Amino acid sequence: MTVLDEARAWIERDPDPETRNELEALIDRNALSALEERFSGTLEFGTAGLRGLLGAGPNRMNRVTVSHATAGLCAWLARQVPDASTRGICVGRDARPNSDVFERDVVEVAAAAGIPVFVFTDVVPTPVLAFSALRLRTAAGVMITASHNPPGYNGYKVYWENAAQIIPPNDAGIAKQIALAATRSIGRMPLAEARAAGLVREIDELRSEYVAAIADEVQHAPERPPLRIAYTALHGVAEDGLRAVLSRGGFEDVHSVAEQAKPDGDFPTVDFPNPEEAGSMDRVLALAVEVGADLVVANDPDGDRVAAAARRDGGFEVLSGNDIGVLLADDLLRQNEASKPVVLSTVVSSPMLGPVAARHGARWEQTLTGHKWIQNRALELEAEGYTYVFGYEEALGYAPSTLVRDKDGISSALRLADLAARAKARGETLVDLRDALFREHGVVADRQVSIRFEGADAQAKMRSVVDRVRVDPPARVGCVPVVRVSTPDDTVVVFELEGGHRAMLRPSGTEPKLKYYFYAVGRVEPDGDLAVAKAKAHTLLDRLATDLT
């Protein structure tokens, strides 16, 4: 078939008039390159399920690809989870364009397959969906979200029956069933009929259950003073849940960036709705100055990540993802009273978690990148008798509770507020606490550099860069000798450098970006100047980043 034939065949089975019109216009203009981009491949079912640009064709997020994904998921559940037809699946959505339409497609396709569906009546943060899947013990969970991706993207995130994100062999099994589903007609039960058959149940009560369960894990210290928080939801869906959790946790003085508070999938005030991106927190930092905040907090659009800034020298310092992760880990380990504690982080996260864990007598493990690996490994360790305390990845993803088997930007924000308030009682900030860890364990300065790739072949381009470096690694990075090269999987290359420094690169699993990670370590003598040690580490970071990127 030619690409024109493929496009015409797609139009015949596409239930969405918008994407049908898109293809018809491209056919009328004989826009072959645009058609090739849409039909040159299929969205890869991988790290986050599906994620891609909205539009027509198998290489885009649309009603057809969502229906195929759901049919494939249901077919795999029927093979692997014997009671899936009674346990059902839990489904949620964010506020991006078409999220509501895609959610309905999931419901109707699953119902036609005889699988009950538990749904919310409105948008919901990803952590609430993950919490609900665990609380209800559903056979799977589906979240319609593209998280922190730019406008124009959407996605399909899958949780398995253990309420953690899917890993092998289930991801490959689902992908195989999706491919089979794409070759046949997909059954669909209209929503009204599915409701009448008792195959759809609304679960809005799980929102308040999440708020109570998460907030009640944090004890109100009697010496904890009031804390003023400046907050932004970045046009996402976390505002209401975050405020409810903070309020129940004893934090009422929360000031939001008004123009970013309501869900808006077009993200009109930010280029990229990701707190990691330069400029994304400008408005909340300005608000923090205006209201005299003690702490700055930002969630990404689906609420599973959190960024923070703390007072320093009359202004605010934005903490790195590793700063936040190590601070939360140290605090949670201090509070832990259970035996055999374990904390986890990913291979691209700061090695500083190692000595922090050792200081508290805890086990530290590193996993491949992503909370799907952290949480599934945590479940294995729990089965061996260990007590999970905390897991994190440097990309602002933290999991401080076993109530959510994924990163949770809302519960993490509460933990940060609690830690900041207790520090305030001693006249300190989160920056002071971070610096105290540097003095105890040595400075570990970190930097991430991302290079964005465009086009349908973005993933292939990024992987070719990684492959070249793997096959022909440099002998030095930034004039520092490479002492070891490791490849934890086929997408990550790690350079262990002389002196304990590190450099890494990997393609993002959720965005068309090639990510480089750099770590420079430095010892601080008991009477040494911390500022000097930091400056030396950051100078080395400059050299490492300039050389490798």
Side-chain angles (χ1 to χ4, degrees):
M1 296 177 68
T2 68
V3 70
L4 291 172
D5 293 331
E6 290 182 279
R8 293 187 182 104
W10 186 277
I11 290 171
E12 289 297 318
R13 57 179 175 167
D14 192 343
D16 191 337
E18 184 174 335
T19 44
R20 290 200 306 268
N21 291 339
E22 175 188 336
L23 287 181
E24 287 169 352
L26 292 173
I27 291 170
D28 290 343
R29 299 202 311 270
N30 200 36
L32 297 182
S33 61
L35 289 170
E36 288 284 358
E37 188 179 359
R38 288 160 174 78
F39 287 87
S40 60
T42 60
L43 286 181
E44 182 178 347
F45 192 86
T47 299
L50 296 173
R51 193 171 293 184
L53 285 165
L54 291 164
N59 206 24
R60 292 286 189 272
M61 280 295 299
N62 51 63
R63 295 188 64 190
V64 176
T65 53
V66 167
S67 297
H68 290 166
T70 305
L73 171 62
C74 292
W76 188 247
L77 285 172
R79 289 169 173 253
Q80 301 296 319
V81 185
D83 55 354
S85 61
T86 56
R87 290 169 64 184
I89 63 174
C90 192
V91 183
R93 72 180 192 273
D94 68 10
R96 287 174 180 266
N98 278 6
S99 286
D100 56 343
V101 177
F102 294 161
E103 181 186 63
R104 182 168 179 152
D105 288 327
V106 175
V107 172
E108 294 186 346
V109 173
I115 296 182
V117 185
F118 300 88
V119 297
F120 299 88
T121 58
D122 201 351
V123 297
V124 66
T126 293
V128 177
L129 182 279
F131 168 87
S132 301
L134 182 60
R135 181 62 61 96
L136 297 173
R137 293 194 66 253
T138 54
V142 175
M143 181 69 190
I144 304 298
T145 181
S147 188
H148 56 284
N149 280 74
Y153 281 77
N154 213 323
Y156 186 103
K157 185 175 185 178
V158 180
Y159 295 87
W160 196 237
E161 63 172 330
N162 61 4
Q165 293 181 60
I166 53 170
I167 58 171
N170 291 314
D171 54 357
I174 295 169
K176 183 177 180 179
Q177 293 299 319
I178 291 172
L180 291 173
T183 66
R184 59 178 183 260
S185 176
I186 303 299
R188 183 183 294 269
M189 182 182 291
L191 182 59
E193 185 180 334
R195 291 186 187 280
L199 289 169
V200 179
R201 175 189 158 192
E202 293 175 353
I203 53 169
D204 286 331
E205 71 276 6
L206 269 296
R207 298 174 188 270
S208 58
E209 289 186 28
Y210 166 85
V211 169
I214 291 298
D216 291 352
E217 285 191 319
V218 177
Q219 300 298 315
H220 291 214
E223 72 279 7
R224 194 177 74 183
L227 192 78
R228 178 163 294 179
I229 301 170
Y231 172 70
T232 179
L234 287 181
H235 301 291
V237 298
E239 174 95 15
D240 291 345
L242 185 284
R243 281 184 168 273
V245 165
L246 287 179
S247 176
R248 188 177 177 104
F251 298 98
E252 301 283 358
D253 195 1
V254 181
H255 300 255
S256 293
V257 178
E259 62 271 29
Q260 296 178 333
K262 293 187 180 301
D264 186 340
D266 291 327
F267 309 110
T269 67
V270 288
D271 292 330
F272 296 100
N274 180 353
E276 289 182 291
E277 296 284 346
S280 63
M281 291 179 63
D282 286 355
R283 293 180 186 234
V284 72
L285 289 168
L287 176 65
V289 173
E290 178 184 334
V291 302
D294 301 297
L295 177 68
V296 180
V297 174
N299 284 129
D300 70 339
D302 71 325
D304 64 354
R305 301 175 190 235
V306 67
R311 282 200 169 273
R312 180 188 181 92
D313 299 332
F316 290 90
E317 179 179 336
V318 177
L319 299 170
S320 76
N322 287 300
D323 289 342
I324 295 171
V326 174
L327 280 168
L328 288 176
D330 180 69
D331 189 51
L332 286 163
L333 286 168
R334 287 179 189 278
Q335 297 177 47
N336 175 68
E337 297 178 352
S339 62
K340 298 182 71 174
V342 63
V343 292
L344 300 97
S345 59
T346 61
V347 293
V348 297
S349 299
S350 175
M352 189 173 179
L353 187 55
V356 168
R359 167 70 173 78
H360 296 287
R363 176 171 176 168
W364 170 52
E365 281 205 14
Q366 289 183 291
T367 70
L368 296 176
T369 307
H371 271 265
K372 66 178 185 179
W373 301 111
I374 289 174
Q375 293 302 321
N376 279 282
R377 179 55 182 153
L379 288 166
E380 292 176 349
L381 289 166
E382 287 176 350
E384 297 172 14
Y386 286 89
T387 300
Y388 171 86
V389 176
F390 182 65
Y392 96 92
E393 59 181 348
E394 52 72 44
L396 304 177
Y398 316 99
S401 171
T402 56
L403 296 173
V404 176
R405 287 296 184 179
D406 198 2
K407 55 187 177 291
D408 183 349
I410 296 175
S411 64
S412 300
L414 173 62
R415 292 285 183 176
L416 282 170
D418 177 58
L419 178 58
R422 285 183 279 119
K424 182 181 178 181
R426 303 188 300 271
E428 298 177 318
T429 71
L430 296 182
V431 172
D432 296 318
L433 300 185
R434 189 271 320 275
D435 287 353
L437 290 175
F438 281 163
R439 290 189 179 91
E440 181 178 358
H441 302 292
V443 172
V444 181
D446 65 272
R447 181 175 304 168
Q448 182 195 121
V449 177
S450 296
I451 299 176
R452 187 169 292 274
F453 286 71
E454 304 294 340
D457 60 346
Q459 287 292 332
K461 291 177 181 176
M462 292 189 291
R463 286 174 181 166
S464 70
V465 174
V466 175
D467 289 342
R468 284 198 304 271
V469 173
R470 181 187 294 110
V471 172
D472 186 21
R476 293 172 175 268
V477 178
C479 300
V480 182
V482 175
V483 297
R484 181 171 176 263
V485 180
S486 61
T487 53
D489 70 3
D490 62 0
T491 65
V492 184
V493 180
V494 180
F495 300 103
E496 304 287 353
L497 308 179
E498 191 175 89
H501 318 297
R502 305 178 84 199
M504 293 161 278
L505 72 157
R506 59 174 281 270
S508 170
T510 58
E511 299 177 86
K513 296 195 302 189
L514 184 61
K515 291 187 171 183
Y516 293 81
Y517 308 83
F518 302 97
Y519 293 97
V521 302
R523 180 174 176 78
V524 183
E525 299 299 330
D527 296 325
D529 190 329
L530 179 62
V532 171
K534 284 185 187 179
K536 288 181 178 178
H538 282 279
T539 298
L540 178 55
L541 284 179
D542 290 338
R543 288 164 43 199
L544 300 178
T546 300
D547 187 17
L548 195 58
T549 61

